[in-house]
Amino acid sequence: MARLDEFVNNVISEGLAKKTANGDEVSNLAKVISDEEASITEAYAKIGELYVQQHSDDADESELGKMVADVKASKKTIKDSKLKIGELMGVNFCPTCCEEVDDDALYCNNCGAKMPVKLLPGMVLCPHCNKAVREGIRFCTNCGGSMVEEPKPETKVCPNCGWETTDLEVEFCDGCGRRISASKEEKEAEEVKEPKNKVCPNCGWTVFDIETMFCDECGRRLEEAE
């Protein structure tokens, strides 16, 4: 015996309803079935779209997660292809919001996103204004900024609070009073010392740390506890 779904499908597809006394009613019911199935298909599509929107950033290794990743990949391929068509046609579009932008625009006028710069051979980007300029020049022809990279001065950084100074003679941090080193090599060369219990002779504040030199409460120099 046929299943219900199979039986009804055969009735609708082969036009068997017309051969019965209740043909009109069967046809009306067939239309109801068709409309509801179309509604369900549309609902499925909306559910899937909503799920992708809500979980597009999830690191999900499930079957649904892989489907979401496939949809994201397909959307990126479609978007990249459309942007390429615009490029081939000589029209620039923002890769973020897809609004048309001028050829020399640094930022999108619609969403403010930074626009990618196309570099021709022999051209480099200015580190100050992001404009493409001729390689080898000393100053940017757009903003006048120096194109010569200046060496950064050597600094000392406190390993405890991050305080930084260019004075390489400084031995103690101005922020927390801890001893600082000038370089990684110097730090590695220092003798490894066991932490000691230190106490403030003024207010009694204590700390179990060999590097801390001054009290966090009153600023007085710490002493090793007995």
Side-chain angles (χ1 to χ4, degrees), residues 32-100:
V32 170
I33 293 171
S34 177
D35 291 345
E36 293 301 323
E37 287 179 342
S39 177
I40 290 174
T41 301
E42 184 180 356
Y44 280 159
K46 290 181 179 179
I47 291 172
E49 184 177 359
L50 181 61
Y51 184 88
V52 170
Q53 291 174 354
Q54 294 180 347
H55 299 274
S56 60
D57 296 328
D58 294 354
D60 189 355
E61 295 297 330
S62 67
E63 185 175 358
L64 277 175
K66 292 177 181 178
M67 290 181 182
V68 171
D70 289 341
V71 170
K72 288 178 64 178
S74 296
K75 283 186 174 182
K76 185 179 184 307
T77 300
I78 292 171
K79 184 177 181 180
D80 291 345
S81 299
K82 290 180 178 179
L83 290 172
K84 186 64 177 179
I85 290 175
E87 182 181 341
L88 294 173
M89 299 298 294
V91 183
N92 288 330
F93 293 91
C94 172
T96 301
C97 68
C98 296
E99 283 290 325
E100 184 176 350

Side-chain angles (χ1 to χ4, degrees), residues 1-14 16:
M1 298 179 67
R3 292 175 56 84
L4 176 60
D5 290 345
E6 182 182 353
F7 172 77
V8 173
N9 288 338
N10 289 336
V11 170
I12 295 174
S13 62
E14 297 177 11
L16 301 179

Side-chain angles (χ1 to χ4, degrees), residues 172 177-180 190 193 198 209-214:
F172 299 97
R178 188 167 180 174
R179 186 180 184 87
I180 56 178
E190 290 181 351
K193 301 178 182 179
K198 291 186 174 182
D209 181 6
I210 195 172
E211 297 294 340
T212 302
M213 305 297 294
F214 299 94

Side-chain angles (χ1 to χ4, degrees), residues 137-171:
I137 61 175
R138 297 190 60 186
F139 298 95
C140 174
T141 53
N142 180 65
C143 69
S146 175
M147 296 295 294
V148 180
E149 185 176 357
E150 298 180 359
K152 295 182 180 180
E154 187 177 357
T155 62
K156 278 187 172 184
V157 180
C158 174
N160 183 47
C161 68
W163 179 78
E164 186 174 2
T165 178
T166 56
D167 186 356
L168 302 183
E169 300 299 324
V170 172
E171 294 186 6

